Amino acid sequence: AADLPALSESDPTAKALGYVEDATKTANAKHKAGDDCTNCQFYSGGPTGRGPCQLFPGKSVNAKGWCVSHTPKKA
Ligand code: SF4
């Protein structure tokens, strides 16, 4: 599959959801230590690099990114 264009932190929807490329850098109080896109149920990419997120159709998010809609993957 073709690589999706990267979601930008300055994208209006990304901003609305507090998306960051590096989960360890967010100052958002909703962020829990250890949470990033790789352990979010909306992410369908690999453990590194970038991958799709259901909340940002047509864009790729950073595996190590995060946003306020983070929802732990079901076991
Ligand atoms: Fe990452 Fe999940 Fe937010 Fe999508 S919903 S950007 S996978 S934390």
Side-chain angles (χ1 to χ4, degrees), residues 7 19 36-37 40-43 52-56 61-62 65-71:
L7 177 68
Y19 172 75
D36 62 21
C37 293
C40 173
Q41 70 170 12
F42 298 118
Y43 181 72
C53 165
Q54 286 176 36
L55 271 57
F56 297 104
V61 297
N62 196 306
W66 177 87
C67 85
V68 296
S69 292
H70 183 279
T71 304

Side-chain angles (χ1 to χ4, degrees), residues 17-69:
L17 293 182
Y19 172 75
V20 289
E21 286 280 310
D22 183 347
T24 66
K25 300 267 167 64
T26 182
N28 195 298
K30 289 181 177 164
H31 181 255
K32 295 188 191 75
D35 281 358
D36 62 21
C37 293
T38 62
N39 58 22
C40 173
Q41 70 170 12
F42 298 118
Y43 181 72
S44 56
T48 59
R50 309 189 69 89
C53 165
Q54 286 176 36
L55 271 57
F56 297 104
K59 298 282 172 62
S60 67
V61 297
N62 196 306
K64 298 301 175 194
W66 177 87
C67 85
V68 296
S69 292

